[in-house]
Every structure is written in structure tokens, then in C-alpha cells.
Amino acid sequence: MMARSTRPASPEKSRPSVFWPLAAVAVPLISLLMKVEIEGAEKLPRDGAYVLAPNHYSEVDPLAVALAVWRMGRAPRFMAKESLFRVPVLGWILRSTGMVPVARSSSASAARQTLEAAETLVRHGRGVIVYPEGTLTREPDLWPMRGKTGAARLALAGGIPVVPMAHWGVQQVMPRYGKFRMWPLRRRVRVVVGDPIDLAARGATLAQPGTLIAATDVVMGEISALLSQLRGETAPPARWDPSQHGQKETGRLDP
């Protein structure tokens, strides 16, 4: 049975910050909707930089991921579209909490932005949550689909590990592209954290795109294995490729 994490908070979480008032409001509200149970919390680094890579199958699963990360003792920071940082009030919140902007292109400026983001994570010892699929999975049964290389690029640029994570149960609160369901409260959401992955040790480099694709496939394989563990089912042998099924990958966050 999965137990709630009780390990000591990292210095990042224990120091006063804008996260404190936000958590005071958000944590009780999210906890009303979801009963989040965590396995493998000790695998999330207690301090230092990391890239957390979860599966993505519901518009509200960032709430479950953020709550799980907070309970594991770290401050939840996400990659967010660069345009959101220019929105009044919201932009201030994103900057104040150290969210990471991402450009929606593969240009040279986007590459520089990735390097700068990685340097910031390392310098401040922060973690960031990156959905390697870039958007909600298009796989009919909600298994992870083909991944994008953004998470691998960010990890390699900073020399930091990728931590795979899977969760299951959020679809009870809001099915993919469905309507939000308030009742019943406290639906069970299970979370499992995998072993950190050193992509550089596996031969991945920013200079060789082929190794980035291979590294991303390793990450997606670990996420699928964790989700198989949660669901008690075997993941499909080949990951869903939207382009082969006439689907558009809208809402993409990483290249």
C-alpha cells in the first residue's frame, strides 16, 4: 500500500517564500478533490536541481503532480509557455515562484533559453516539472505517447538527472477533454516515482539529435513501466504517434 511521504522538507521548501501563502490555499483545496498517495518519494532528490518527468492525461493532473512534489518536500515548478509570463498578475506569480519559460520553437534563441533555464536551476538548486509528451496524450487508453526532446535537452544542458514519475486516478476528477467532476470528493490518486536517470551516462549529448531522441525514448519507457505498475496492466509495445493517426499535437510546450 502506498503511504504519504513524511520525509523532512528540503531547505528550498522550508525557507519562507511566495510558495507558502500559495500552498496554504491550494493544498487544502486540492486535497479535497484528490487523496494523493505516493510511492518512491525518497527517489526525488531532497536538494539540488532535477527534471521531473510525469505522464500527462488530464487537464488537471498538474494539480496532483504539484501536490505530490510539495508533500515530497520540494517546491513544484513547471515549464510554462513564454507568453504566460507577459500576462499581468499571472506573470508576476510565475516569475516569483521560479517557473521556467519555454519558447514554442526550435530556434537558436529557444536553445539559448534552454541553456539559461538549466543554468538557473543548477545555480539555485531547483527542480522543474516537464511533461515530456508536451501535451495531453492522444493514446486512446491514456498510455504515454511519443515524447518530445525538451526534458532531455534541459537535463543535459544543466548536467542534472531526469526523474520519471507516473500517476493514475486524476481522470476521475476530470477525464481528458471532459468535464470537471466535483463529486465525490477525495478520489484516490496514486503516484510512483522512479529512479533518477543520468542521460549523459547513457551517451546522450546536445550535439547529436539522434542521442536526444534515444534518451527521450528511455525516459518514456520508464514512465510507461511505472504506469503499468500502477494500473496492473501492460503498456502497449509501441508508443502512440499522433502524426500517424492524423492527430495534431496542440498545446505543445517543448520542441
Side-chain angles (χ1 to χ4, degrees):
M1 180 177 178
M2 298 184 184
R4 179 183 297 182
S5 170
T6 57
R7 70 174 183 166
S10 69
E12 175 191 41
K13 179 181 172 182
S14 58
R15 287 193 296 265
S17 72
V18 71
F19 276 103
W20 282 15
L22 291 175
V25 175
V27 169
L29 291 177
I30 300 172
S31 297
L32 276 176
L33 296 172
M34 310 174 193
K35 181 183 179 184
V36 176
E37 301 173 355
I38 306 167
E39 180 180 354
E42 71 281 357
K43 296 178 181 179
L44 187 72
R46 185 174 179 273
D47 49 41
Y50 64 87
V51 174
L52 182 65
N55 58 321
H56 195 17
Y57 57 89
S58 168
E59 289 89 342
V60 297
D61 62 36
L63 299 179
V65 172
L67 179 59
V69 170
W70 184 254
R71 286 184 173 167
M72 286 188 281
R74 298 301 302 261
R77 296 182 172 90
F78 289 85
M79 294 278 281
K81 289 185 291 186
E82 189 178 37
S83 59
L84 296 178
F85 286 76
R86 297 191 290 271
V87 177
V89 182
L90 175 60
W92 178 84
I93 293 174
L94 294 175
R95 288 189 294 272
S96 298
T97 53
M99 302 296 171
V100 179
V102 58
R104 299 184 65 181
S105 70
S106 55
S107 63
S109 62
R112 286 195 300 272
Q113 188 180 61
T114 296
L115 181 59
E116 291 170 0
E119 291 172 346
T120 299
L121 293 176
V122 173
R123 183 167 62 252
H124 296 287
R126 295 172 176 171
V128 66
I129 301 158
V130 181
Y131 287 108
E133 296 163 274
T135 186
L136 294 177
T137 181
R138 301 297 193 269
E139 208 281 334
D141 294 321
L142 304 183
W143 291 100
M145 64 177 181
R146 181 192 63 181
K148 302 294 181 180
T149 59
R153 289 177 186 276
L154 185 60
L156 286 167
I160 55 183
V162 175
V163 182
M165 189 180 92
H167 57 87
W168 190 241
V170 180
Q171 72 278 10
Q172 301 174 85
V173 178
M174 188 171 182
R176 180 184 56 185
Y177 310 128
K179 294 183 179 180
F180 183 80
R181 300 170 179 171
M182 185 71 179
W183 308 100
L185 298 175
R186 300 279 289 166
R187 289 183 174 92
R188 186 188 189 199
V189 175
R190 302 166 66 208
V191 174
V192 59
V193 182
D195 293 316
I197 305 170
D198 183 347
L199 297 181
R202 293 173 177 261
T205 69
L206 290 173
Q208 296 178 292
T211 66
L212 290 173
I213 295 171
T216 299
D217 196 50
V218 168
V219 174
M220 297 310 302
E222 291 296 318
I223 296 171
S224 294
L226 293 171
L227 186 57
S228 293
Q229 176 183 327
L230 288 176
R231 293 175 59 165
E233 305 172 56
T234 302
R239 271 178 284 285
W240 187 266
D241 184 345
S243 66
Q244 295 181 3
H245 295 83
Q247 297 173 322
K248 294 182 178 179
E249 298 177 63
T250 57
R252 192 173 66 194
L253 286 185
D254 49 31

